[in-house]
Structures are given as C-alpha cells and as structure tokens.
Amino acid sequence: MGILSRRSVSALLASLLLFGCGGGGGSGSGGGAGIPLFGSPTGQAGGGGQSDGGQSNGGQVASNTSGGGTQGGTGGTTGGTIPVAATVALANKLGKPARVLVGLSANSTDDLKSQDIHPDIVEHYLVGIVGYNGGWPDWNAGGAYVTIFAEAAQAYGAVPMFTLYQMTANGEGNVDTTADAAFMNKYWGQVRLMYQLIAKLDKPVLINVEPDFWGFAAGKRSDHDLTKLTARVSGQPECSTLPDTVAGLGQCVVQMGRKIAPKALIGFPPAFWNGTPSDIGAMMQAAGANQADFIVAQTSDRDAGCREVTPRPDGCQNGSDRYWDASNKTSPNFHDSQKQYSDYRAALGNGLPILWWQTPMGVPSDTPGGTDGHYRDNRVDYMLTNTQEYGDMHTFGIVFGPGWGNQTSIATDGGQFARLSAQYLARGGAVLK
C-alpha cells in the first residue's frame, strides 16, 4: 500500500477543512463551523499597478466551436463577420459573462453569504483510488460526491470545477503505476465514473487533469519523452486506437470525456521541471493537451510567507516560492509568471485560453512570514487589481484558494477577497482577448 502524496494529503485535508468530516457508515458528523456548501464526504479515507478598465464584451457570442479544444468562431454582424476569441467562446459555453471570471475554493454557504461572495467557479479535488489508501468514489455511495458538489455549486450560480488527482494514489512520483494493470483498471473506472456523473448533470463542468503527474512522468526519462513511457490505455473502448503510453493516457482522458460527457471542459496543468516553456509545450502536445479546452496555469500552492518562516511550518517544508515583486522590477514577479505561460501557450499551439488555479490568498505585508491562517502573500491583491494584464494574455478565469489547511483563506484574510472581488466586478471586469 503506497503512501499518500503531499498534494493528496493537502487535498484530503482541504476536504475536511472546507466540507466537514463525514463519519464512515453514517456514524460521524461534520466537524466544521457553518453548513458545508457541498455536503460532507462520507467514509473518506486517509483522511499596486494599473487597474482594470470598466469594459465588458458580454455581448459577443461564439457561433462555432470545433475540434478537441475551444476554438474562436465567427459571429454574424451587419458589416460582415468577426472572429470570436477562444476566451469568449469558452465563457459563453460556461454561461458566464465575457470577462475574466473569478473562482474560489469555498468554505461554506455561511462564509460566502456573510461576505456576499458569489464566485463564477468553485473548485475541489477528486483524490485517490479505491483500494489504494481510499478514493473519492467512497466519499459518498456510488461516487455521488461529484453530483452533490456540482449541483450545490450550480444552485449557487457557479460553474463546478474538479481537479482530478488520482495518479499519486500509490505514491507521489510513482509513475510505474501506469503500467500496472490492476491500478490502471481502477484508474480508468473512476475517470469513467466521473464523466458519467458529469454527463447526467447536462451542464458545463471544468476538469483539471492530474497536476504534477506530467512533470514526474517526464522526469523518468532523460529525453522527457512521454511517448516512450508505458501506460495501459488501449483497453478502454473509447481509446482503442491510442498508444499504450503516457502520451496516450493524456489523449485518452480527453477522448473519453468527449464521448461520455461532451459538456465537460478539460484542461492540463504543465509542470516546468524538465525544460523551457517551449520544451514543455512540445511535451504536453504529445499528451493531448492541445486537444483540450484550456490551459491550467498553477499560480502557487502555498502563501509565500509560509516558506519564509523558520522552521518551516507543516506543509511548507518543500519548495522555494518567494514573495513576488508587485513592481515587476526584480524576480520573482508577476510579469515573469505571465511570460512563462504565454511562452508555453505559444509552444502548445491551438490558441487555448488560460485558467489560473490554486492562487494563494494571503494578505500583502512588508514583514516576511506570518502565522497559520495569516501568512503573507500579494497575489490576490495584484491579480484582482491588475486583472486586465491577465485578460490581455488570453486568460478566461482565475481560481483562488489555499493549497494546504494552514494557509490563508476567506475565513482568515480579513475580508480581502470579498472586498477586492467586489471592487473588480463593480469596475465591470477585465475584457477577454
């Protein structure tokens, strides 16, 4: 039995923190304050610069989407036809305004209502595999957590988003599991179940496919060639013509989704561990990321201040993230991050829109560090006051949320997110490009 990965533990802890802990067999009760927004998983195992303009191009409508990814179509006008940006087309698919959308990992209806926060997107992990330290289908009978979460999000006016995080169920970085028939049969069974449940919803759902896995897989070979790594793929009826490789695995996640749940919108998160953004773009193209609907850009998984404390607190021992320079004069800074993903997008091809994800929620401070729930960070402040920078680089949304249980959240940020998101919306939002 493998050990849960650090991100898996983080996701499970987030489940417990955000949604309460359901008792196995119905014997327990939610432990969090307030009413959980999405229900409690039961039997869960293992646990300053320029500001936005006030424009909105919400009147644009996409008339054509084609291929595996979201494409800009043409809209009829009196003077002829004009191209519709892929970002606008995707926002239309989601039934949302054509502005940069704001997403959140929410605590509870009480937290959201009390602060009058209405996110466009709400996100949560689907973690683990049944039989390998436990998996999300056991949280509620028949995997019903997908339905519970999605319906509650939709009722609150948000698009549900799932981060599929199954591949580390038998150990983080254990890429050899892709050749293990027993493991992969369960893996694909759960992917299929997820899509079947999404299909029944008959509404758009965003899927973030296997963060970190692509970086770990590429690291198995000196040439980082995902077409040379074995994976069980062709046994799935939707993927019978695909190669039995890790590259084929990524393509199969897309192909299975297209056939079972056409309203599922899929994105891949690159890991920049094994080369330049151009190198990684070519690598992820082999894995079918260019066939998807959007690119997932991971902002960071922790508040910067958590990695400035000595000794580093739980969950922040690894990584070298530092406080970003909001003046963009010294590195690391926001323009560095934007360029990295713009370069990756160009290399990937197909002009996919970008969704920034797992954006930490700390409050700016000149004092390094912080304490649990109050570590400093400036990404909410910068990204919600300079959002047009992101719109200009083909971003369609930014999802904010803590990546570990002791990070800053809307419950501990002193109302920062509620205030800045309301101000952002009052300005009309950042125009999609």
Side-chain angles (χ1 to χ4, degrees), residues 34-37 104 106-119 122 152-153 155-157 410-411 417-418:
I35 301 170
L37 175 58
L104 188 65
N107 288 340
S108 71
T109 54
D110 288 347
D111 293 324
L112 294 172
K113 290 176 180 178
S114 67
Q115 297 190 53
D116 197 26
I117 298 172
H118 291 272
V122 289
Y156 202 71
I410 60 169
F417 182 82

Side-chain angles (χ1 to χ4, degrees), residues 59-64 73-84:
Q60 294 186 19
V61 177
S63 64
N64 178 45
T74 57
T77 65
T78 304
T81 61
I82 58 171
V84 175

Side-chain angles (χ1 to χ4, degrees), residues 297-315:
Q298 181 170 312
T299 314
S300 178
D301 61 353
R302 302 291 187 271
D303 293 323
C306 193
R307 290 178 170 135
E308 296 173 326
V309 175
T310 303
R312 288 188 177 188
D314 184 37

Side-chain angles (χ1 to χ4, degrees), residues 189-428:
Q190 292 187 190
V191 174
R192 185 183 305 281
L193 175 61
M194 175 190 72
Y195 281 138
Q196 289 170 340
L197 293 167
I198 289 172
K200 291 180 180 179
L201 295 166
D202 196 31
K203 292 181 180 179
V205 174
L206 298 165
I207 305 295
N208 175 19
V209 181
E210 298 289 358
D212 298 343
F213 168 70
W214 311 104
F216 283 123
K220 291 286 290 185
R221 292 180 56 88
S222 60
D223 61 4
H224 314 308
D225 190 347
L226 301 183
T227 69
K228 303 290 180 60
L229 291 168
T230 300
R232 302 275 182 154
V233 175
S234 63
Q236 304 307 308
E238 300 86 358
C239 307
S240 59
T241 62
L242 293 178
D244 286 312
T245 65
V246 169
L249 188 156
Q251 296 175 50
C252 187
V253 172
V254 176
Q255 202 154 296
M256 187 179 289
R258 300 292 186 232
K259 293 184 178 180
I260 299 175
K263 292 188 178 181
L265 300 168
I266 301 164
F268 286 77
F272 296 110
W273 307 341
N274 302 291
T276 67
S278 294
D279 295 334
I280 305 305
M283 184 189 83
M284 292 303 295
Q285 192 176 76
N290 63 320
Q291 302 169 21
D293 300 287
F294 59 96
I295 294 164
V296 179
Q298 181 170 312
T299 314
S300 178
D301 61 353
R302 302 291 187 271
D303 293 323
C306 193
R307 290 178 170 135
E308 296 173 326
V309 175
T310 303
R312 288 188 177 188
D314 184 37
C316 297
Q317 292 90 347
N318 300 322
S320 59
D321 194 24
R322 290 180 288 141
Y323 199 72
W324 289 6
D325 176 18
S327 73
N328 295 301
K329 295 177 181 177
T330 61
S331 293
N333 62 56
F334 292 87
H335 290 177
D336 289 342
S337 173
Q338 293 167 8
K339 185 178 187 304
Q340 184 179 51
Y341 279 100
S342 289
D343 290 348
Y344 169 78
R345 178 179 179 270
L348 186 65
N350 212 23
L352 297 183
I354 299 172
L355 178 70
W356 296 80
W357 164 75
Q358 204 162 72
T359 306
M361 304 192 71
V363 179
S365 175
D366 292 333
T367 304
T371 59
D372 281 4
H374 300 279
Y375 295 107
R376 74 167 184 160
D377 205 283
N378 59 355
R379 279 167 273 214
V380 169
D381 182 80
Y382 187 95
M383 295 173 80
L384 285 178
T385 56
N386 297 274
T387 321
Q388 191 59 58
E389 290 184 5
Y390 291 86
D392 289 345
M393 59 171 294
H394 309 285
T395 291
F396 79 91
I398 306 172
V399 176
F400 299 86
W404 189 257
N406 60 2
Q407 303 298 288
T408 310
S409 70
I410 60 169
T412 65
D413 72 349
Q416 171 184 246
F417 182 82
R419 174 175 53 84
L420 292 178
S421 59
Q423 290 173 358
Y424 166 74
L425 294 175
R427 294 192 300 268

Side-chain angles (χ1 to χ4, degrees), residues 127-177:
V127 184
I129 291 180
V130 174
Y132 295 82
N133 295 300
W136 65 266
D138 279 348
W139 295 353
N140 298 89
Y145 186 70
V146 168
T147 306
I148 293 168
F149 176 95
E151 288 183 343
Q154 291 162 348
Y156 202 71
V159 176
M161 172 178 171
F162 294 110
T163 293
L164 183 68
Y165 196 66
Q166 298 184 162
M167 195 55 75
T168 61
N170 204 23
E172 188 173 45
N174 184 12
V175 180
D176 293 338
T177 55

